[in-house]
Amino acid sequence: MNNEVGVVYERPWGTYQTQVLAECYQVKVLTVNPGGKLSLQRHFKRAEHWVVVRGEPIITIDDDRKRYTVDQSVYIPVG
């Protein structure tokens, strides 16, 4: 996966840009187009913490689908 700092990468669902790339963590900005969907994923080596800064995404974790709003965050555990 591309993760050069500052470069905007386009995907069918929108864009992402790595802001910080450190040894133990990474900070990205994801912009999901209206109606866009990311594929369901599973990570065996890292957890993720997402913060909603605009919009109202529906985020699925396991079988739980929930709508989030601005300033809400979600922790996505390993696995």
Side-chain angles (χ1 to χ4, degrees), residues 1 3 5 8 11-12 16 18 21 23 32-33 41-42 44 46 54 58 62 68 73-75:
M1 175 177 279
N3 56 10
V5 174
V8 176
R11 294 292 180 260
Y16 75 90
T18 299
L21 183 58
E23 185 175 329
V32 181
N33 296 329
Q41 302 174 17
R42 176 174 292 161
F44 293 103
R46 70 172 188 257
R54 189 178 322 152
I58 297 172
D62 296 323
Y68 290 81
S73 64
V74 60
Y75 176 75

Side-chain angles (χ1 to χ4, degrees), residues 8-71:
V8 176
Y9 294 97
E10 295 196 25
R11 294 292 180 260
W13 46 262
T15 63
Y16 75 90
Q17 180 183 43
T18 299
Q19 299 283 307
V20 177
L21 183 58
E23 185 175 329
C24 297
Y25 67 92
Q26 193 173 160
V27 177
K28 289 184 181 179
V29 173
L30 277 70
T31 302
V32 181
N33 296 329
K37 295 182 181 181
L38 281 72
S39 60
L40 295 178
Q41 302 174 17
R42 176 174 292 161
H43 298 289
F44 293 103
K45 295 185 179 183
R46 70 172 188 257
E48 295 186 1
H49 182 207
W50 292 8
V51 179
V52 178
V53 296
R54 189 178 322 152
E56 294 186 359
I58 297 172
I59 299 173
T60 303
I61 300 176
D62 296 323
D63 294 327
D64 185 33
R65 289 173 45 97
K66 181 180 172 187
R67 182 177 301 274
Y68 290 81
T69 58
V70 172
D71 291 333

